[in-house]
Amino acid sequence: MFETIRYDVKDGIAWLILNRPDKLNAFISQMNREVKDAIKAASYDEQVRCVVITGEGRAFCSGQDLSEIDEFMDHGQVLRDHYGPMIQQIRKCEKPIIAAVNGVAAGAGFSLALACDFRLMSERASLLNAFIHVGLIPDSGNLYYLTQLVGQSKAAELAILGEKVSATEAVAMGLANRLIPSETWEEDVSAFATRLAALPTKAIGLIKGSLMTISELSFEEYLEHEAQGQRIAGLTKDHREGINAFMKKRKPVFTGQ
């Protein structure tokens, strides 16, 4: 089904693996489309309760494959046609998405990681806003997410100076959620994804929606949004299961419904 990525669903987790290791998993337009299509498939698949995006080989994603670039290209149209739809599909997904950053995430690869809900960093991984080094601005939602995570001043520093951020630094500044030792990388990523997949999936989707609206609404408007979301959450089977488990003093078994 896919040529530039691998996609597999197992035990409620959709594994999306960027699969151009000889090119450090650099983006070509086909990969943009396939990532978008895979996220869309995961969104509609009731068996999927968590998505993991990672890279094959020694890189997460090195950004745009420059062999597809020429001096007459309209870079804005490339974003409208390829990167924008991919990032928007990720943003629309109501299920939790983990960026398992196994190696360098540079340029649009950095943007891809930022668009995810969680970033797990291998101790050998790094982040790099490489756009400035080829005379471009950060794209694919990069500054939108970066400013929310680290503030405008730090976002400007990372974008304008284009300095590499180590995994340790990424966790310290709030760019990443976990630093994972290389020797336990696969085990720890799987454990984190399994934990997310066992949680009430619809409630997670509502939390994601609430987080997206915070900067757009007044406090009074947000309270109404919160009330509407809580009404929806209160009607789910997982809410009933949570209450029942609490009353019976047992661990809840959520189904994502």
Side-chain angles (χ1 to χ4, degrees):
M1 183 177 177
F2 298 117
E3 296 179 2
T4 66
I5 69 171
R6 298 205 315 271
Y7 180 78
D8 183 47
V9 177
K10 183 178 181 182
D11 298 328
I13 303 168
W15 295 87
L16 193 168
I17 302 171
L18 308 178
N19 193 28
R20 302 185 72 224
D22 56 323
K23 300 293 185 180
L24 300 181
N25 301 318
F27 275 116
I28 55 176
S29 56
Q30 182 181 359
M31 181 183 281
N32 291 134
R33 291 193 301 271
E34 291 186 354
V35 169
K36 175 179 69 69
D37 291 345
I39 295 294
K40 185 175 182 179
S43 298
Y44 286 101
D45 187 344
E46 293 185 358
Q47 301 302 311
V48 173
R49 299 178 57 191
C50 174
V51 180
V52 178
I53 301 177
T54 192
E56 180 66 35
R58 61 190 179 93
F60 177 73
C61 175
S62 59
Q64 171 67 37
D65 188 331
L66 296 182
S67 68
E68 277 201 341
I69 300 297
D70 65 66
E71 60 182 309
F72 303 107
M73 180 175 288
D74 182 338
H75 293 283
Q77 199 58 46
V78 171
L79 294 180
R80 296 185 190 99
D81 291 344
H82 303 298
Y83 286 96
M86 178 187 73
I87 294 297
Q88 288 187 50
Q89 189 66 60
I90 291 171
R91 185 171 174 82
K92 288 190 296 184
C93 182
E94 296 183 353
K95 297 169 183 179
I97 303 179
I98 300 167
V101 185
N102 56 301
V104 64
F110 185 12
S111 303
L112 174 63
L114 289 172
C116 297
D117 302 301
F118 300 93
R119 280 156 296 284
L120 309 183
M121 297 278 293
S122 165
E123 60 185 0
R124 294 184 294 191
S126 60
L127 306 172
L128 177 64
N129 243 344
F131 301 93
I132 195 69
H133 300 302
V134 290
L136 294 175
I137 68 171
D139 61 32
S140 307
N142 186 290
L143 290 179
Y144 181 90
Y145 290 113
L146 193 58
T147 302
Q148 292 178 345
L149 289 169
V150 299
Q152 187 169 335
S153 179
K154 194 64 178 181
E157 177 186 332
L158 295 174
I160 294 172
L161 298 183
E163 295 175 339
K164 183 180 291 187
V165 178
S166 71
T168 301
E169 292 170 329
V171 173
M173 71 175 67
L175 279 176
N177 301 91
R178 299 283 192 279
L179 177 64
I180 299 178
S182 301
E183 58 268 20
T184 60
W185 170 250
E186 293 185 6
E187 177 185 348
D188 289 356
V189 170
S190 294
F192 191 90
T194 298
R195 180 181 177 185
L196 281 179
L199 294 173
T201 312
K202 292 187 181 298
I204 292 175
L206 292 166
I207 290 170
K208 289 179 61 169
S210 292
L211 289 169
M212 290 178 195
T213 64
I214 287 174
S215 63
E216 302 167 0
L217 303 178
S218 68
F219 184 63
E220 290 75 14
E221 290 170 331
Y222 176 77
L223 289 178
E224 177 55 29
H225 175 89
E226 177 184 79
Q228 293 175 8
Q230 196 70 300
R231 179 188 65 81
I232 295 169
L235 296 173
T236 62
K237 293 180 180 178
D238 279 343
H239 170 61
R240 293 198 296 273
E241 165 62 10
I243 294 297
N244 190 38
F246 177 81
M247 297 300 291
K248 295 182 178 179
K249 296 181 173 57
R250 62 171 175 81
K251 186 175 180 180
V253 179
F254 297 119
T255 62
Q257 301 300 314

